[in-house]
Amino acid sequence: MEIALQIVFLVVGFVLLIKGADILVSGASSIAANFKISKMLIGLTIVAFGTSAPELAVSISSLLAGTTDMLLGNVIGSNIMNILLLIGTGAIICPIIVKRSTVAKELPILLLISTALVVLFLDISLAGGSNNEITRADAIVCLLFFAIFVYYLITMARKKRDNKPEKPEYKLGKSFLLTGLGLAGIIGGSQLVVSGASTIASSMGISDRMISLTVVALGTSLPELVTTITAARRKETDLIVGNIIGSNIFNICVVLGVPVALFGSVSPKSFEMIDLVVMLGSAALLWLFVERDHKISRIEGAIFLTIFAVYYGSIIYGALV
């Protein structure tokens, strides 16, 4: 009976996610048109931070429950899925054109912050210690990085206006209302999906690393996945790239930084170096793909999906043997 109820939660959660993402993309695009702000900026802020809210809720809950592996796995797994699965899927649906400013500014910021996370996580080992951990000081560093990123966004918003303003689909009040409703649907649906999937996985005796990197990461990345597919079908590729970059930065700086800064250090035990390598490597590969021609082709999208399948195949295989 319990499993059947969790399956119902999953189905209801998926419905909320799909409809919420559709409403969110419409509302966010209309806000950009009303203010004559670029859709890239909207993707980096409203869409990115809103769709990352489930990760923040899960991280705080997992830390309070003492499951620190769930906290780090949520961040690492979500960032890997955002690039390999989401951008890969989006590029298969519609090749993604990336603006020159994104290649020159936003992507290097993501690479810098991703590298900082790896260094902060490994700093004790690099200094000769026996355990890796994220301390409260490390979390404060992450939050400072985020403050710099927000300052950059504010500066960009003041300077940039959409060179080709389009007629808003909705008036400003309705645009904000739709965006809020979309975010509510996404957050609520994601919580139902994660709750149901985690309960089912736990009943099967799967480890925290396995659950967090797969079930929880996929569940909390579903808002970004559905938003990516919806935006790709609408050919709103600025929203796709902005959403992913903003979400990954938010995950590292806020989803990890806020709970640790509030509640103290975490020392995950079951994570392997390969998890950090894939997270940082996927961000580097994204930059390499777009640095030359400012585009993510269907072939490059297929490469992302192949790496995703190999990495997660190895995780599942390792859990089964």
Side-chain angles (χ1 to χ4, degrees):
M1 184 64 182
E2 177 68 18
I3 297 297
L5 182 61
Q6 298 303 325
I7 292 174
V8 171
F9 286 162
L10 282 174
V11 173
V12 174
F14 279 126
V15 172
L16 285 173
L17 279 169
I18 293 169
K19 190 60 182 176
D22 184 57
I23 295 173
L24 175 65
V25 172
S26 295
S29 297
S30 187
I31 289 174
N34 271 283
F35 283 109
K36 297 181 176 62
I37 296 173
S38 70
K39 289 174 183 174
M40 171 60 74
L41 180 59
I42 294 296
L44 280 164
T45 54
I46 294 175
V47 179
F49 299 166
T51 55
S52 290
E55 282 95 331
L56 179 58
V58 169
S59 289
I60 292 175
S61 298
S62 63
L63 191 55
L64 289 174
T67 55
T68 55
D69 280 0
M70 192 78 73
L71 168 63
L72 189 61
N74 182 27
V75 172
I76 294 176
S78 293
N79 280 21
I80 291 172
M81 287 191 178
N82 282 351
I83 294 177
L84 297 182
L85 178 60
L86 275 62
I87 291 184
T89 300
I92 292 292
I93 296 173
C94 173
I96 300 172
I97 305 300
V98 183
K99 288 185 176 180
R100 189 177 300 274
S101 61
T102 302
V103 179
K105 297 177 181 178
E106 284 93 29
L107 270 174
I109 291 174
L110 173 59
L111 270 172
L112 173 64
I113 292 175
S114 298
T115 303
L117 173 61
V118 174
V119 172
L120 291 173
F121 182 63
L122 298 176
D123 56 355
I124 294 180
S125 290
L126 293 174
S130 58
N131 294 319
N132 293 314
E133 65 177 348
I134 300 292
T135 66
R136 182 174 273 122
D138 294 336
I140 292 173
V141 170
C142 290
L143 292 173
L144 288 175
F145 271 118
F146 185 69
I148 294 171
F149 179 63
V150 170
Y151 175 77
Y152 160 74
L153 291 181
I154 294 172
T155 302
M156 184 174 67
R158 289 176 176 174
K159 293 181 178 179
K160 282 193 174 182
R161 293 284 172 176
D162 208 326
N163 294 327
K164 297 180 180 179
E166 58 184 66
K167 185 178 179 181
E169 188 175 356
Y170 308 107
K171 291 183 178 179
L172 188 59
K174 188 174 182 180
S175 298
F176 276 112
L177 176 62
L178 288 174
T179 301
L181 289 174
L183 288 174
I186 284 173
I187 294 169
S190 185
Q191 290 302 304
L192 287 174
V193 169
V194 171
S195 174
S198 296
T199 300
I200 294 170
S202 296
S203 68
M204 299 171 63
I206 300 174
S207 70
D208 280 350
R209 174 178 179 263
M210 173 70 171
I211 293 174
S212 60
L213 284 174
T214 55
V215 177
V216 176
L218 178 59
T220 54
S221 291
L222 281 174
E224 288 93 341
L225 176 59
V226 180
T227 301
T228 295
I229 294 173
T230 304
R233 287 177 174 173
R234 293 168 174 259
K235 301 190 185 303
E236 302 278 7
T237 56
D238 278 356
L239 280 180
I240 295 175
V241 178
N243 181 26
I244 298 306
I245 294 175
S247 292
N248 281 18
I249 291 174
F250 189 89
N251 284 345
I252 293 173
C253 295
V254 178
V255 173
L256 180 64
V258 168
V260 177
L262 290 176
F263 303 109
S265 303
V266 296
S267 301
K269 304 298 183 182
S270 64
F271 280 87
E272 301 175 7
M273 181 65 70
I274 186 63
D275 302 324
L276 294 171
V277 170
V278 173
M279 183 198 73
L280 181 57
S282 61
L285 188 60
L286 174 60
W287 182 82
L288 287 174
F289 279 164
V290 301
E291 193 274 334
R292 181 174 54 87
D293 57 3
H294 304 95
K295 182 178 72 173
I296 304 169
S297 66
R298 285 190 170 92
I299 293 177
E300 291 165 340
I303 293 173
F304 277 141
L305 292 176
T306 300
I307 297 172
F308 172 82
V310 171
Y311 171 63
Y312 276 94
S314 68
I315 291 177
I316 294 171
Y317 176 78
L320 295 176
V321 296

